[in-house]
Amino acid sequence: MNVQDSQLSAFRAEAREWLDKNFPKSLAHRGDEYFDIAPRYPEGEDWAAWRKAMCSKGWGTPTWPTEYGGGGLTRQQTLILRDELEKIGGFIPLTGIAVSMFGPTLLEYGTAEQKQRHIPPICRGETIWCQGYSEPGAGSDLASLKTRAEDIGDNFLVNGQKIWTSGSMHAHWCFCLVRTDTSHKHEGISFLLIDMKSPGVEVRPITLISGKQSFAEVFFTDVKVPKENLVGGLREGWTIAKRLMQFEREGIGARRMTVGELRPLDEVAREYIGTDAEGRIADLDLRARIVRHQMWERAHRLTVARVADEAKTGPSEATSVLKNAASHALQTRGEMLTEIMGFQGIGWDGDDYTQTEKDSMKQMLQNKAHSIYGGTYEVQANIISKRILGMLDHQ
Ligand SMILES: Cc1cc2nc3c(=O)[nH]c(=O)nc-3n(C[C@H](O)[C@H](O)[C@H](O)COP(=O)(O)OP(=O)(O)OC[C@H]3O[C@@H](n4cnc5c(N)ncnc54)[C@H](O)[C@@H]3O)c2cc1C
């Protein structure tokens, strides 16, 4: 065994021992409950204890520098940590936009002061961030955004509107794309950090058909933002925005597959459809489709792990492939689950359905959004064709 291998096996032993001592067994295989665009952590002593233990160790954000409260782990150590977590049904107890998108971007582009101010509270799971990108007239064509930030000396004066801003009702801060120059489209955009408590910020939640409110419209009226909250240079926002979207797609492309095993479809099918004399799922066509889907899921998981392992400088354009593959896997799984459960799979409320059955219908509908947020399926296909396959762009 060479030096590096022996160091890695020592790390594996250390991680296993530490997890054994600190991971509450009651949370095994419950990482899925953590998944949310905006972190609303489940309540309870074990959840809080697990988050505290992991954050104190820096393993809530394992690859981030220790000077800001991260774990300072290498890619290989992080893979080992995830592997050991998976073995015990564990998971990293920090989630949300701050961890998956904003933090890594600020670490690349922020000043020392900005990092010192914003990264440690994220590592401790204390601050909630929201993403102020989309506007009523700027979705896929994001660079059409109109929210203005005018230079008024020590501050910018921000006026405009954002929409579909996930978790903004709970957010402490918003990273926001603003227009500081109207004479250039992409080059007129800057990246600004806005304290959601600033006078002039108004959040109007959008109510979904389910009655839930997960995103909102955010209005800025004469909001004063200190100049020290500008990330990167003036008019460099588009470059930073694109980098952040790579982190976003990496997170979305990998997330569902890495929060822990979902219940295998063949197991659900055995329960609802029954088995033939040889113990196989009784429906031949369904059996073939389940196998095809499980192969797809497995291939996706392996590809996510390989891309992460190969990425020396963080995420690349390949994240668009992973995002579309994940959308396909999730949406297919949701639809098949509903089909397998039959009438029991279309329950919404009431006592005739189990909680799992009711959740499966809501999850199936929620999965539809997976191919919209973070850039639509078609927008990813455009990126793949232009930037990965090198197909001609005549513009
Ligand atoms: C659950 C959810 C959460 C979200 N959270 C946030 C958030 O926190 N912050 C935020 O800023 N935004 C958020 N969004 C907004 C999201 O980023 C946008 O919805 C998305 O970028 C698409 O923009 P749009 O809705 O304006 O659709 P449009 O851009 O109007 O697109 C409409 C249709 O046209 C297609 N289309 C558009 N342009 C092209 C093209 N060039 N080639 C081929 N097809 C094209 C699209 O694929 C789509 O099917 C969220 C959306 C959802 C659903």
Side-chain angles (χ1 to χ4, degrees):
M1 199 187 279
N2 63 33
V3 177
Q4 202 201 9
D5 284 349
S6 69
Q7 280 169 347
L8 287 177
S9 44
F11 176 75
R12 186 180 287 281
E14 179 203 324
R16 191 176 297 165
E17 194 187 328
W18 189 88
L19 292 174
D20 188 47
K21 265 200 210 122
N22 290 282
F23 179 60
K25 311 275 178 292
S26 63
L27 303 186
H29 303 289
R30 292 178 64 190
D32 221 25
E33 293 173 38
Y34 245 71
F35 169 78
D36 208 338
I37 294 173
R40 315 268 354 250
Y41 298 124
E43 285 176 15
E45 253 175 52
D46 284 355
W47 291 100
W50 178 228
R51 197 162 63 247
K52 189 162 177 232
M54 282 289 271
C55 291
S56 314
K57 183 90 176 151
W59 286 359
T61 44
T63 55
W64 294 12
T66 47
E67 61 181 303
Y68 300 118
L73 301 189
T74 63
R75 276 181 308 131
Q76 281 155 320
Q77 287 173 322
T78 306
L79 286 175
I80 289 173
L81 174 64
R82 287 189 183 280
D83 192 40
E84 290 301 319
L85 278 165
E86 198 168 321
K87 283 182 195 159
I88 55 168
F91 49 87
I92 290 183
L94 280 189
T95 181
I97 286 170
V99 177
S100 60
M101 318 178 195
F102 174 66
T105 310
L106 195 71
L107 283 169
E108 276 185 29
Y109 290 96
T111 60
E113 290 76 26
Q114 287 168 340
K115 288 189 250 190
Q116 199 57 61
R117 178 170 184 196
H118 295 295
I119 299 290
I122 296 176
C123 293
R124 295 192 297 267
E126 288 171 359
T127 33
I128 299 179
W129 284 79
C130 64
Q131 177 183 29
Y133 274 29
S134 305
E135 295 184 5
S140 300
D141 184 13
L142 183 59
S144 299
L145 63 94
K146 290 199 166 59
T147 295
R148 279 295 311 273
E150 205 187 323
D151 186 338
I152 54 160
D154 290 343
N155 296 292
F156 290 106
L157 194 66
V158 179
N159 279 286
Q161 184 200 340
K162 298 290 170 180
I163 194 167
W164 316 128
T165 323
S166 297
S168 47
M169 305 81 82
H170 316 291
H172 305 106
W173 284 86
C174 178
F175 54 89
C176 201
L177 295 183
V178 293
R179 183 157 297 289
T180 43
D181 176 349
T182 48
S183 56
H184 296 87
K185 189 174 176 180
H186 297 82
E187 294 79 18
I189 294 171
S190 299
F191 194 101
L192 209 53
L193 310 181
I194 302 183
D195 184 338
M196 293 295 277
K197 290 192 302 300
S198 313
V201 177
E202 188 195 347
V203 179
R204 292 188 204 157
I206 298 171
T207 305
L208 302 173
I209 196 170
S210 62
K212 275 189 176 176
Q213 294 177 332
S214 64
F215 43 38
E217 295 175 286
V218 179
F219 294 84
F220 300 107
T221 309
D222 288 337
V223 178
K224 277 190 187 155
V225 180
K227 283 205 169 145
E228 70 217 30
N229 290 7
L230 178 73
V231 179
L234 201 61
R235 307 199 298 134
E236 281 175 16
W238 188 245
T239 304
I240 303 173
K242 281 193 297 182
R243 184 61 175 153
L244 185 136
M245 284 191 282
Q246 288 185 339
F247 287 113
E248 178 174 19
R249 287 162 192 160
E250 181 188 50
I252 297 172
R255 186 162 41 206
R256 265 293 182 199
M257 307 294 149
T258 53
V259 289
E261 294 287 348
L262 300 173
R263 191 176 175 207
L265 281 182
D266 59 304
E267 213 179 283
V268 186
R270 282 195 175 82
E271 182 186 332
Y272 283 85
I273 309 281
T275 50
D276 64 13
E278 290 167 65
R280 300 176 305 184
I281 298 161
D283 180 327
L284 179 63
D285 171 59
L286 181 65
R287 201 159 73 218
R289 285 189 289 131
I290 288 178
V291 169
R292 204 174 310 134
H293 172 70
Q294 287 180 332
M295 284 165 61
W296 179 283
E297 269 194 348
R298 181 90 184 115
H300 180 251
R301 283 176 73 101
L302 290 172
T303 311
V304 166
R306 181 171 58 80
V307 169
D309 192 36
E310 286 171 1
K312 303 256 183 304
T313 53
S316 66
E317 309 293 3
T319 52
S320 293
V321 180
L322 299 181
K323 189 198 175 234
N324 275 5
S327 297
H328 174 81
L330 274 180
Q331 290 173 355
T332 309
R333 181 189 154 87
E335 282 156 19
M336 285 178 77
L337 202 57
T338 309
E339 179 191 339
I340 290 167
M341 290 178 171
F343 279 124
Q344 291 308 114
I346 55 172
W348 194 258
D349 51 25
D351 297 334
D352 294 336
Y353 308 95
T354 64
Q355 194 54 48
T356 311
E357 288 165 350
K358 286 183 271 193
D359 288 348
S360 79
M361 167 50 84
K362 291 185 178 118
Q363 194 60 58
M364 193 267 277
L365 293 173
Q366 199 178 320
N367 288 347
K368 303 281 178 203
H370 199 276
S371 49
I372 301 175
Y373 57 73
T376 67
Y377 194 92
E378 291 76 17
V379 165
Q380 306 311 318
N382 284 344
I383 295 172
I384 294 165
S385 65
K386 283 186 203 165
R387 308 219 193 107
I388 299 181
L389 301 177
M391 292 165 83
L392 281 181
D393 179 4
H394 293 290
Q395 286 172 6

